[in-house]
Amino acid sequence: MENLIEQLTAKNSEYVHSVTKQLMLLGKSDEEIKEILNEILPKIIEGQKEGILARKLLGAPVEFSTQYKIEDKAEHQEKEKNESPFLMWLDSALLFFGVISVVMGLMGLFQPQASVYGVLTTLASSALAGLVMYWMYKYFYSAQRAQKKGKGFAMLALAMVAWAGVSVLVALLPKSINIVLTPYVTIVLGAAVMGIRFLIQRRFNVQSSMARPTK
């Protein structure tokens, strides 16, 4: 690389110096800068032979260096949302389970006579609610929604019927099987499940079924 730098004209040498400075400001390591210079120096020297300045060939130092800017981590994660069907279903199911449990627990505290869900009812309702939310995302919010809406309405109708039917059937089970937990335990369980959901979201960067995709 040193041999190539020695072949530069004064203006092109100044340009390379400015580019190097900009790359350092962007947080590039010495090794990364060397790789970039090794890539552009032959082009600059080739341009010199035809009387073309490096600035005209590659653009201003700031403009040229911007392409090597390290992408913001949050922006990168947003672009890389995980759309795994299982994780998206699990995300919604855990959210519903957590919310329903907290609501049922609060009802049990403040309205002791109120009818509250048993654990199996909450599980079944949450699992089916998560499926409904995933299908809504897949057939109505995703990039291919225009081609899938017809099938989407049929799938959602089927899921809604199954949701209602299973919820009613499970609710009819005896309390010895469909256990009703105490209000405090129910609230703690709901909060713990929402905490688990948060950890899964953070670990796998799951696309929420209830959020429209940005891409």
Side-chain angles (χ1 to χ4, degrees), residues 128 157-167:
L128 287 166
L158 179 63
M160 294 297 288
V161 171
W163 186 1
V166 171
S167 296

Side-chain angles (χ1 to χ4, degrees), residues 115-184:
S115 177
V116 297
Y117 292 168
V119 175
L120 290 181
T121 302
T122 305
L123 275 172
S125 298
S126 301
L128 287 166
L131 185 61
V132 169
M133 294 310 302
Y134 172 70
W135 278 347
M136 285 186 67
Y137 176 90
K138 180 178 180 180
Y139 294 114
F140 296 95
Y141 297 155
S142 69
Q144 297 80 26
R145 60 188 179 279
Q147 295 85 2
K148 295 181 176 180
K149 274 193 174 181
K151 184 178 180 180
F153 282 117
M155 297 293 285
L156 282 177
L158 179 63
M160 294 297 288
V161 171
W163 186 1
V166 171
S167 296
V168 170
L169 289 174
V170 174
L172 294 176
L173 292 173
K175 289 187 178 181
S176 58
I177 298 175
N178 189 18
I179 301 170
V180 177
L181 301 174
T182 63
Y184 287 112

Side-chain angles (χ1 to χ4, degrees), residues 33-44 67-68:
I33 292 173
K34 286 180 181 178
E35 288 180 8
I36 294 170
L37 293 182
N38 281 329
E39 180 183 343
I40 65 172
L41 283 172
K43 297 178 183 178
I44 293 174
Q67 65 182 297
Y68 297 100

Side-chain angles (χ1 to χ4, degrees), residues 46-114:
E46 193 64 32
Q48 277 184 182
K49 296 176 182 178
E50 300 177 13
I52 302 174
L53 293 174
R55 179 179 289 269
K56 185 175 182 181
L57 185 67
L58 302 175
V62 174
E63 178 186 347
F64 171 79
S65 303
T66 301
Q67 65 182 297
Y68 297 100
K69 183 177 180 181
I70 300 174
E71 192 176 50
D72 182 78
K73 186 177 180 181
E75 292 178 358
H76 178 71
Q77 288 182 340
E78 187 63 28
K79 293 178 184 178
E80 300 296 330
K81 282 290 188 181
N82 191 333
E83 294 190 0
S84 161
F86 172 75
L87 287 176
M88 288 181 68
W89 163 78
L90 181 64
D91 177 73
S92 295
L94 290 175
L95 177 62
F96 275 96
F97 187 94
V99 170
I100 292 172
S101 295
V102 171
V103 170
M104 290 294 104
L106 291 173
M107 284 179 61
L109 282 177
F110 297 106
Q111 298 180 26
Q113 305 305 317

